[in-house]
Amino acid sequence: MDWENLAPWIAIAITLALSILVPVFTQIANNSHQRKMQREKIEYEQSQRKRNVYEQFLLNVGNAVMTRSNLDNAGASIYEMYIYAPVEWHQKLDDLSYNLHNYQWENVRTLLEELSKLISDELRR
């Protein structure tokens, strides 16, 4: 057999291989893109949840400081902050919780101001 007789068979083999491989590579690229989009969606939802927790914390604890009421909401917001706040903030949250439950309002106000600044810095990133 010479090359002239093999050329059509080689062309058929290459065409067949490409007809199988191109859809496989396309599917791999699509799956990769879909995973990336899903990951971005989850990250966005988590960042929105974190923002909401921070806002509720400021609202509830600030309201407790101003009105000396709704301590249940303030306490719940503090404990929810542990989930989203950096570990470095946990001692301040501990102190805030302690002072809130012991009605040490001046300390609560001071800690709330410190945490408000930390939250502001965190949300700007």
Side-chain angles (χ1 to χ4, degrees):
M1 247 193 211
D2 53 357
W3 285 106
E4 291 175 7
N5 293 335
L6 286 178
W9 291 106
I10 292 173
I12 291 172
I14 291 172
T15 303
L16 182 60
L18 288 176
S19 69
I20 293 170
L21 293 176
V22 168
V24 169
F25 290 132
T26 301
Q27 189 62 39
I28 290 170
N30 284 340
N31 287 346
S32 175
H33 178 69
Q34 289 298 320
R35 279 195 311 272
K36 178 183 174 191
M37 296 300 290
Q38 185 65 22
R39 189 171 40 253
E40 288 176 1
K41 178 183 174 191
I42 290 169
E43 288 172 0
Y44 174 77
E45 289 171 353
Q46 288 174 339
S47 71
Q48 288 303 108
R49 176 69 181 138
K50 183 177 185 178
R51 177 179 287 278
N52 289 340
V53 167
Y54 284 173
E55 289 173 356
Q56 283 302 307
F57 166 78
L58 294 172
L59 179 69
N60 290 334
V61 177
N63 187 30
V65 169
M66 297 303 291
T67 64
R68 309 291 199 259
S69 63
N70 296 324
L71 298 180
D72 291 341
N73 290 340
S77 290
I78 291 169
Y79 292 115
E80 193 171 23
M81 282 286 289
Y82 284 103
I83 298 169
Y84 295 98
V87 174
E88 298 82 33
W89 299 9
H90 287 191
Q91 185 59 50
K92 288 187 186 304
L93 291 169
D94 292 343
D95 295 344
L96 180 63
S97 179
Y98 174 82
N99 287 305
L100 186 67
H101 291 296
N102 289 297
Y103 309 107
Q104 297 175 358
W105 299 110
E106 189 58 35
N107 294 340
V108 170
R109 188 182 63 74
T110 301
L111 287 164
L112 181 58
E113 288 173 1
E114 291 174 16
L115 285 164
S116 295
K117 292 173 185 174
L118 292 172
I119 288 170
S120 177
D121 290 343
E122 178 84 11
L123 291 178
R124 285 188 193 145
R125 291 188 217 162

